Amino acid sequence: MNQLLTKRKKLKLESDSGWGYAFIAVALIAFSLFTAYPVINAFIISLQKYRPLGSTYVGLENFVNSFSDELFWKALKNTLVYTLLTVPFNILLSFLVAILIMPFKKKTQTIFKAVYYLPAVASGVSLAVVWLWIFDPLKSGIANQAVGLFGISNQNWLGSSATAMFSLVLMSWLSSHGTAIIIYLAALLSIDNSYYEAADIDGATFLQKLRYIVIPFLKPTTLFLLITGVIGSFQVFQNAYLMTGGGPDHATTMVGLLIFNNAFTYFEFGEAAAQSLLLAAVIALISFFQFKILGKDIEY
Amino acid sequence: MGLFNNTIKSKGSLFARNGLIITALLLFAAATIFPIYFMIISSFGDPVEAGAMSYSLIPAKISFESYKFFFNFSAHSWDWLKNSFIVAACITVSNVFFATLAGYAFAKMKFRGKGILFAILLGSMMIPTQVTQVPLYILIVNIFELQNTYTALIMPSIVTVYNIFLVKQFMSSIPVEIIEAAKIEGCSQPKIFWYIIMPLSKTVMAVLAILTFMAAWNDFFWPFLVTNTMDMQTIQVGLKNFRFANTTYFAPMMAGATISAVPMFILFFSLQKYFLEGVAVGAVKG
């Protein structure tokens, strides 16, 4: 026994160095080549007027240009509006649905989970194609038929600057809650029953249980969803690109789309790199404050 | 028991409460799957131009003409599906293997610099894709000159940090004693990995495979950037072509959208458990 213990101690101290590095080698090479190197390069390119054969160093010109570019600020504002309209609403909706699923049997829960998750399985492109048709500007379009029931006249949903942003927001409301619902449900199911039992003995109502047990318990999950949601929303690109192309009159130009256009439509790689770094800074700043303000009393 | 009140005495009021909740959930479910339902039923319409199209919610008849139209539209319609399959399969296999290896190393092995390396990987997940987009494009297209190749489509996703993180989370719960016992018996690390860790990790590997395949199959942006001929495009990129070439033919567009989604739907309904499990693995502890 004693012998075994010393042997075990020795093994604990012994490191797995060789094999450890071998096991992470491919991951490390891929990471260096496709993440670390591009990130470092982004800084270099942002200081250049990039040309395939010999770029010129221009200092902070790309950053200065971005700051004085009205479109950059407009894109930032659009992205912020989109985020504020979609992220909190989607989280609240997911929370409500997750709570409402709770009283049912496991089987029923799974069926609802599957249905709500379904849009996440379809590709963004195919969903965009469907929503394009839903928002068809003709009188026969589904969205127009729906508002027609309320006596509202025909709308050019994606083609008018008054409704284009709202159309994208509506699409997000109805198709991007599946993941959050499942995550909330998993967190809800991990709450120990004894808390509810204790509350029942004290005669707590449903709302009191919600207020004093569920909400505090789900705070880390909410924070996780909020931070990942905001990060995701600030990078939004695909729907704006496929559905409106950023128009009309740049009403739906998001920062992600602006960077894409600068890079791959105008081949202004330097400016695109500078703006991507500004975007990263904005995201980091927002995440930091979310943590500071909301994460105060969370233990990990 | 639980959050919901069980002091409701009469069966009637319990029934009424549950009925009300079910109705609300069903309405929301209907709104959620409506676009998908709409996509599928309109794909069975005839390939006529938009103006002549009837927007009905219940198909009057089922015709496969629009599917024929889709496959006859381009000589490469089948190539798009083939390319998507090759790319997604390669990315999936390499991720399952290399992410599991790396995840195991980070979860259970001891080596110098492990903590810092993992922290760097974790931190890199916070970097927006836009930052790496341009330099990565320059690297693959201008420096390696791999434009329009399978290598360009596959390489950047060969193993992703998110997957490593997922595996590491999962493997933290494997007891160290098993590994130590194997070591005492003189088992080498590759053997431990192959004979002990992999069989214990089947669930996480399945989750990984499914989520990776789905992400690769549905990816639009990178294939769109690095392909420039129709024969190398994936189905998602092909779909976009189609839309711009034929803005007025809605039913064939829906047929294309359905075709791109059907493989994922089949996978989802047959392996639902892993999909739904996988979503929560990284997000919820315990």
Side-chain angles (χ1 to χ4, degrees):
Chain A
M1 185 68 198
N2 228 345
Q3 215 179 352
L4 192 73
L5 269 177
T6 45
K7 201 169 181 185
R8 197 168 148 174
K9 234 180 213 163
K10 226 171 98 189
L11 273 167
K12 268 210 157 150
L13 291 171
E14 205 175 89
S15 90
D16 306 301
S17 278
W19 285 118
Y21 294 126
F23 279 22
I24 62 167
V26 173
L28 221 53
I29 292 168
F31 173 78
S32 320
L33 208 54
F34 303 126
T35 306
Y37 170 78
V39 168
I40 295 164
N41 233 1
F43 283 95
I44 298 170
I45 295 170
S46 73
L47 301 174
Q48 293 175 334
K49 178 121 185 86
Y50 182 86
R51 296 224 172 69
L53 304 164
S55 312
T56 30
Y57 175 81
V58 293
L60 294 175
E61 197 186 294
N62 289 321
F63 290 92
V64 175
N65 282 350
S66 300
F67 275 120
S68 55
D69 183 6
E70 224 171 284
L71 193 55
F72 180 70
W73 292 106
K74 187 163 188 181
L76 215 54
K77 199 197 95 195
N78 284 339
T79 313
L80 191 68
V81 168
Y82 181 79
T83 303
L84 287 175
L85 287 177
T86 57
V87 176
F89 183 85
N90 280 337
I91 288 179
L92 189 69
L93 198 69
S94 310
F95 176 74
L96 277 178
V97 170
I99 293 280
L100 287 181
I101 291 178
M102 284 298 281
F104 298 103
K105 285 194 205 89
K106 194 123 199 181
K107 229 181 183 162
T108 320
Q109 290 186 0
T110 311
I111 293 171
F112 277 117
K113 273 196 314 199
V115 170
Y116 294 133
Y117 189 66
L118 204 58
V121 177
S123 80
V125 187
S126 51
L127 280 182
V129 168
V130 181
W131 280 94
L132 271 175
W133 197 9
I134 291 174
F135 287 129
D136 195 60
L138 292 178
K139 206 186 172 97
S140 48
I142 294 282
N144 276 332
Q145 284 184 7
V147 295
L149 295 177
F150 301 98
I152 298 168
S153 63
N154 233 17
Q155 302 287 326
N156 185 0
W157 294 97
L158 295 164
S160 133
S161 46
T163 48
M165 177 63 88
F166 172 74
S167 306
L168 290 186
V169 169
L170 184 69
M171 182 182 167
S172 158
W173 284 352
L174 285 179
S175 51
S176 35
H177 39 64
T179 313
I181 290 173
I182 292 168
I183 290 173
Y184 262 137
L185 257 179
L188 274 171
L189 292 171
S190 73
I191 298 177
D192 200 283
N193 234 339
S194 58
Y195 291 97
Y196 297 127
E197 278 160 18
D200 280 336
I201 291 167
D202 289 341
T205 63
F206 171 73
L207 283 179
Q208 281 169 332
K209 280 189 255 182
L210 211 57
R211 168 76 187 80
Y212 295 104
I213 301 172
V214 174
I215 290 177
F217 250 101
L218 293 194
K219 212 175 157 186
T221 311
T222 307
L223 187 69
F224 171 84
L225 288 174
L226 199 62
I227 289 180
T228 51
V230 169
I231 291 174
S233 172
F234 260 78
Q235 299 176 58
V236 89
F237 156 80
Q238 199 160 305
N239 282 350
Y241 176 72
L242 291 171
M243 310 255 314
T244 62
D249 194 24
H250 295 297
T252 55
T253 299
M254 313 284 181
V255 180
L257 183 61
L258 182 74
I259 294 171
F260 172 85
N261 279 337
N262 279 334
F264 301 107
T265 311
Y266 310 119
F267 295 101
E268 292 283 352
F269 286 146
E271 183 135 348
Q275 286 171 347
S276 74
L277 291 171
L278 291 173
L279 174 67
V282 170
I283 290 176
L285 209 67
I286 293 178
S287 306
F288 175 77
F289 280 114
Q290 280 178 320
F291 250 113
K292 264 271 173 215
I293 296 164
L294 301 162
K296 257 184 247 158
D297 40 46
I298 291 179
E299 285 172 40
Y300 286 97
Chain B
M1 70 152 240
L3 167 64
F4 279 81
N5 203 339
N6 55 341
T7 52
I8 296 176
K9 293 271 160 21
S10 76
K11 266 212 158 126
S13 49
L14 188 76
F15 190 76
R17 187 199 73 184
N18 283 359
L20 215 64
I21 296 176
I22 282 278
T23 314
L25 287 176
L26 282 177
L27 281 175
F28 186 56
T32 303
I33 54 170
F34 172 72
I36 291 165
Y37 169 77
F38 189 53
M39 168 180 89
I40 295 170
I41 59 141
S42 8
S43 69
F44 294 126
D46 284 321
V48 291
E49 286 198 43
M53 191 73 205
S54 61
Y55 296 75
S56 68
L57 292 183
I58 300 143
K61 66 173 191 124
I62 288 181
S63 124
F64 289 95
E65 286 305 309
S66 292
Y67 286 87
K68 265 192 207 149
F69 189 103
F70 178 82
F71 282 111
N72 293 334
F73 164 74
S74 143
H76 301 294
S77 298
W78 285 106
D79 286 340
W80 298 338
L81 283 168
K82 187 192 78 187
N83 292 340
S84 276
F85 187 77
I86 292 173
V87 170
C90 290
I91 289 176
T92 303
V93 170
S94 81
N95 265 280
V96 168
F97 187 66
F98 293 119
T100 310
L101 262 184
Y104 167 61
F106 280 121
K108 290 284 180 255
M109 291 167 86
K110 291 187 248 353
F111 52 91
R112 199 182 276 269
K114 182 176 91 167
I116 291 174
L117 279 176
F118 191 69
I120 293 172
L121 288 185
L122 213 55
S124 78
M125 292 209 296
M126 298 285 284
I127 297 167
T129 52
Q130 276 82 6
V131 172
T132 49
Q133 201 172 89
V134 169
L136 193 61
Y137 177 82
I138 292 172
L139 180 76
I140 298 285
V141 172
N142 292 0
I143 298 178
F144 289 162
E145 294 183 358
L146 288 169
Q147 188 152 26
N148 230 19
T149 61
Y150 284 126
T151 319
L153 288 166
I154 294 164
M155 279 296 272
S157 315
I158 187 166
V159 47
T160 65
V161 172
Y162 178 76
N163 285 341
I164 298 171
F165 175 67
L166 201 78
V167 175
K168 196 219 168 205
Q169 285 286 86
F170 175 88
M171 287 197 182
S172 311
S173 63
I174 295 178
V176 200
E177 283 74 16
I178 299 177
I179 299 161
E180 279 177 0
K183 273 190 189 172
I184 290 168
E185 299 293 330
C187 196
S188 68
Q189 282 291 1
K191 270 192 175 164
I192 294 177
F193 179 75
W194 192 261
Y195 291 109
I196 299 171
I197 301 299
M198 290 232 297
L200 284 174
S201 308
K202 274 185 196 142
T203 325
V204 76
M205 286 166 82
V207 165
L208 205 70
I210 284 161
L211 294 183
T212 309
F213 190 87
M214 180 169 90
W217 181 273
N218 285 345
D219 190 18
F220 162 72
F221 182 68
W222 184 250
F224 171 62
L225 272 189
V226 297
T227 56
N228 51 19
T229 58
M230 274 206 171
D231 64 312
M232 278 307 292
Q233 283 168 350
T234 60
I235 180 76
Q236 309 302 343
V237 184
L239 216 55
K240 183 189 171 280
N241 268 332
F242 189 77
R243 191 196 118 202
F244 279 88
N246 272 295
T247 32
T248 47
Y249 285 93
F250 277 125
M253 229 162 82
M254 291 301 131
T258 307
I259 291 164
S260 86
V262 156
M264 290 318 306
F265 288 155
I266 293 173
L267 216 60
F268 177 65
F269 283 114
S270 47
L271 300 166
Q272 209 191 81
K273 190 185 125 208
Y274 295 104
F275 270 92
L276 299 179
E277 213 168 276
V279 175
V281 169
V284 185
K285 270 203 153 181

